[in-house]
Structures are given as C-alpha cells and as structure tokens.
Amino acid sequence: MAKNEGQIVIKKYANRRLYNTGTSTYVTLDDLAEMVKKGEEFTVQDAKSGEDITHSVLTQIIFEQESKTGNTLLPISFLRQLIGFYGDQMQMVVPSFLEHSMRSFTEQQVQMREQINRAFGETPLVKNLQLPIQIVEEQVRRNTEMFQQAMQMFSPFMKPPAKESRKAEAKDIDELKEQLRAMQSKLDSL
C-alpha cells in the first residue's frame, strides 16, 4: 500500500470522489469509517493542492454517522458546550482534554467489556443490564467532573455550571438510561 510515513493516503478530487492510493481504488465515507474502526491510520489530501483535509473529512463522517443511524453519540448539550468554546480563551485546552478523555474511555472499555461479560455469564439477562447502565453513568459522571476541574484550573473564577446546564446533563443521562432500557426490552424479547 502507498503510505505517507506509515499512513495510507486518501486523495479527494474536485468531484468529491475519494481515492485510496494504497489499494488504487475509489472509496466512500463509509469505507473510511470502517478503516477508522479497524484502527487503520490514513490522511486525506486535496488532490489538487495537496492540503491535508483529514480533519474536515473525519468531521463529515461523524455528521453522516449521526444522521444515518438515528443513534447519536453527541448529545445536544455537549454540542452546545463545544460550540461555546470556539473563540473562548479555553479553546486551546479543549482538544487536548477531549483527546485525553477519549483515550481514558477507550482504555476503560476493555474493563467495561470484561465486567459485562462476567455479569452476563453469571446471572439472568434481565438483571445484568443494570451493570452496563451503572458503568456508563459512572463514566459520564467522572468525565464531567474531570472536565469541570480542568476548566476551573485554567479559570479559577469560572462559575459552576448553570442550573440549565445541569438539567441538560441530567436529561442526557436520562436519555442514555432510556436507550439502555429499550435495549434491555429488545434483548428480553429475544
């Protein structure tokens, strides 16, 4: 495969087609999403200018995944908070914080999967879905606390989250709980 310092190079042409120089084939955004899920590293370059446009293509993949499945990973309150950081003095801190949080979450996924597997192997299915709900709730709570602590460290006079923000966070958690309950009922029907 043609690679650029260990990475596959995808060329994006003016007609919006994507060309994988490693396999000499045209690919779609869905193909790129699968490559990401498999852990394959790639960069996307504008075919004419050579400019690295990986960020915008990955953002486009997220947008399509969010609209295609109906199951969103990015709650509205999170998107609002993220937009609020653009142009703010904290804008420079947010990317590294989010990267660190996602890395931590990814590392903890292994532990979560092991706990879920142990739970599903030991007791009936109906009781076991409570454990994944608790694990997700705990992770969301820890990440939120860590984010707030980091923000206060950089801005010691920052106000605590507004009541509306806490309500929005609670609503997001309630939505996650409802989604897990729906999964539980689907599994029960199987």
Side-chain angles (χ1 to χ4, degrees):
M1 287 187 187
K3 295 185 180 190
N4 181 19
E5 298 178 21
Q7 292 186 347
I8 299 167
V9 176
I10 308 294
K11 301 258 184 186
K12 185 172 183 178
Y13 290 94
N15 64 2
R16 300 179 64 185
R17 294 202 62 190
L18 298 163
Y19 185 77
N20 184 332
T21 60
T23 60
S24 300
T25 58
Y26 286 99
V27 293
T28 64
L29 290 176
D30 286 335
D31 295 330
L32 295 182
E34 285 303 313
M35 290 172 68
V36 169
K37 290 175 184 177
K38 291 177 185 175
E40 296 179 31
E41 294 287 328
F42 61 85
T43 59
V44 183
Q45 296 176 352
D46 182 274
K48 187 174 182 178
S49 70
E51 177 187 358
D52 185 346
I53 57 172
T54 307
H55 186 273
S56 64
V57 171
L58 292 175
T59 304
Q60 187 178 359
I61 291 170
I62 291 170
F63 175 76
E64 288 205 2
Q65 292 293 313
E66 288 279 308
S67 63
K68 185 187 300 185
T69 64
N71 296 325
T72 60
L73 291 179
L74 303 172
I76 290 173
S77 63
F78 172 80
L79 293 172
R80 289 180 195 275
Q81 289 172 335
L82 192 59
I83 291 167
F85 284 115
Y86 283 97
D88 187 90
Q89 63 185 4
M90 300 307 296
Q91 180 175 343
M92 295 179 67
V93 177
V94 174
S96 60
F97 172 78
L98 291 175
E99 189 173 352
H100 173 74
S101 294
M102 287 305 293
R103 191 177 318 115
S104 294
F105 183 76
T106 301
E107 291 168 359
Q108 291 175 2
Q109 271 185 328
V110 173
Q111 295 171 345
M112 290 170 59
R113 285 188 177 131
E114 288 173 0
Q115 289 177 347
I116 290 170
N117 287 337
R118 276 196 302 260
F120 280 112
E122 296 172 2
T123 58
L125 185 62
V126 174
K127 294 178 185 176
N128 289 314
L129 286 178
Q130 294 305 314
L131 179 62
I133 292 171
Q134 292 168 351
I135 292 170
V136 169
E137 286 175 348
E138 179 63 21
Q139 184 62 41
V140 168
R141 187 188 60 73
R142 271 191 266 147
N143 284 346
T144 303
E145 286 175 1
M146 192 167 68
F147 184 70
Q148 288 172 348
Q149 288 171 357
M151 293 300 111
Q152 287 175 347
M153 193 170 75
F154 288 101
S155 179
F157 304 108
M158 188 172 117
K159 297 177 190 172
K163 188 175 184 180
E164 295 82 27
S165 178
R166 287 192 298 266
K167 285 182 181 178
E169 289 172 6
K171 182 181 177 195
D172 289 339
I173 291 173
D174 289 341
E175 286 175 8
L176 283 171
K177 286 180 183 178
E178 187 56 40
Q179 289 174 359
L180 287 170
R181 284 188 194 104
M183 283 178 29
Q184 178 179 353
S185 65
K186 285 181 184 178
L187 289 171
D188 288 345
S189 66
L190 295 175

